[in-house]
Amino acid sequence: MYTWESISGPGSIDDLVADAHAAGYPDVTVRRIHDWIAKGLLDQPRLRTRRRGSDKAEHSATQRRLLLLLLDKRQQVQHLSALAQVPLAMWLWWDGYVPTRQAQRAWVTWVGRGRRNQEVAREGALGLLEQIGHQLATPTARARSVRIITELGNGMALTVRGRAELLDAVRDVMEPDTVFAASSLVRALGPAQTPMTVETVVDHVEALSVALSRTLDGKVDTTLLERARAVHRASMADYLAERGTLAAEAGQLANLFREPTIQEQFDQAGRQLLLVLGMHLIRPRNRPSPRQ
């Protein structure tokens, strides 16, 4: 069977098509390769020149192997845009495999526009609800929180009034009146060092909204992405060093701190980058001015 080990060096676009056919994907064409390059699933080839005329552009051995991985993962996802998380994850975690210029195109593909962007926003809203929602929160409160967070993730600006409504919606699902109204208690999820309160959840939602809006406006360039990656790597290094302690103190939420599988790292790359990018974008406005 044709595998990663079968690829020994760089090759032309014809070699990529031949790789796919040898691996059992006879429907791969030159046109599809060009389409995947435009979407950031693959990188642009390196141009080669000679004294007379020119040779065909060359794809690295890494990109040839990436194609085989993408073809395998393509069977596991419903939308091609979800496949963009494969190069995103490789860029986020490992050096030398995916250049930032490719990651930028993959990022735009993953976020998408219109219906795709709404799907990303709704998936994020549902995932957050699953994480923070109290078991006694009403269906009405749950539906409201998902609607508001989805709208924010779909490009709606977060106004002062909108933030107040968001705060109220998050509190309704996180601290339902039937449990918390009479006690005046505040619910905090997770370990004592980094508790997740209503206010921190709202900050996270705002960060996601800002990151999505900036992406849709075409204002997330390679420099901004590289900054977000650096922040993510630094924070993850700290997190990994403390994960055992955090899991021990998290109680019923200890499962949130288990080691992710390789598949989960691919599946979570987009959301992780979205949150880190958003937090990086909103942090300057939360810093005190030098005059204060």
Side-chain angles (χ1 to χ4, degrees):
M1 182 179 179
Y2 198 77
T3 62
W4 281 43
E5 291 74 18
S6 305
I7 298 174
S8 58
S12 67
I13 192 168
D14 293 331
D15 292 320
L16 264 67
V17 173
D19 292 340
H21 292 181
Y25 302 95
D27 58 334
V28 174
T29 63
V30 168
R31 182 175 181 178
R32 177 182 291 189
I33 298 297
H34 282 305
D35 181 53
W36 283 18
I37 290 173
K39 288 180 169 58
L41 303 182
L42 295 169
D43 188 29
Q44 296 171 339
R46 180 177 64 87
L47 296 178
R48 295 184 297 169
T49 59
R50 56 187 180 185
R51 292 185 178 180
R52 295 182 179 179
S54 61
D55 291 322
K56 285 191 174 182
E58 190 175 67
H59 296 265
S60 68
T62 299
Q63 289 290 316
R64 292 177 67 183
R65 296 183 182 116
L66 175 57
L67 173 62
L68 298 185
L69 178 60
L70 289 169
L71 290 170
D72 179 60
K73 296 296 183 184
R74 181 67 180 94
Q75 304 174 79
Q76 303 171 19
V77 299
Q78 184 176 1
H79 302 293
L80 190 64
S81 51
L83 202 60
Q85 290 201 109
V86 174
L88 270 179
M90 296 178 71
W91 171 80
L92 195 59
W93 286 106
W94 300 287
D95 292 323
Y97 291 93
V98 171
T100 305
R101 61 175 179 268
Q102 178 186 351
Q104 183 187 26
R105 295 196 303 274
W107 172 249
V108 173
T109 296
W110 180 73
V111 171
R113 289 186 175 276
R115 188 171 183 178
R116 167 58 189 167
N117 175 249
Q118 187 170 7
E119 289 174 354
V120 171
R122 182 172 174 78
E123 287 172 4
L126 290 171
L128 182 63
L129 176 62
E130 182 179 355
Q131 186 176 357
I132 68 169
H134 193 281
Q135 59 183 356
L136 295 181
T138 67
T140 300
R142 291 173 179 273
R144 181 191 179 205
S145 70
V146 170
R147 175 183 59 79
I148 292 174
I149 295 173
T150 299
E151 288 175 349
L152 289 169
N154 201 31
M156 186 177 73
L158 184 60
T159 62
V160 174
R161 181 177 179 179
R163 185 181 178 85
E165 185 180 12
L166 172 63
L167 190 68
D168 186 55
V170 171
R171 182 171 285 112
D172 279 350
V173 296
M174 195 168 172
E175 301 174 354
D177 286 344
T178 54
V179 180
F180 292 88
S183 65
S184 299
L185 293 176
V186 174
R187 188 178 182 211
L189 302 176
Q193 298 96 323
T194 55
M196 183 178 289
T197 64
V198 171
E199 286 74 17
T200 58
V201 171
V202 171
D203 286 342
H204 282 205
V205 173
E206 181 180 9
L208 297 175
S209 173
V210 169
L212 283 168
S213 297
R214 187 70 65 90
T215 301
L216 292 174
D217 290 341
K219 296 180 180 178
V220 177
D221 56 16
T222 56
T223 300
L224 191 54
L225 280 180
E226 287 180 342
R227 287 176 186 167
R229 178 175 64 173
V231 171
H232 177 70
R233 288 183 175 182
S235 63
M236 285 304 297
D238 293 339
Y239 162 72
L240 291 175
E242 301 177 5
R243 185 173 58 196
T245 302
L246 294 174
E249 296 179 354
Q252 62 181 355
L253 297 176
N255 189 55
L256 296 175
F257 300 98
R258 64 177 175 80
E259 183 176 359
T261 64
I262 293 295
Q263 181 63 52
E264 287 173 333
Q265 289 186 45
F266 281 125
D267 293 341
Q268 297 169 6
R271 292 183 188 177
Q272 288 178 347
L273 186 57
L274 192 67
L275 177 59
V276 173
L277 178 62
M279 294 301 288
H280 177 72
L281 289 169
I282 69 173
R283 187 169 293 128
R285 77 176 68 162
N286 294 330
R287 292 173 182 163
S289 67
R291 296 180 181 178
Q292 292 181 337

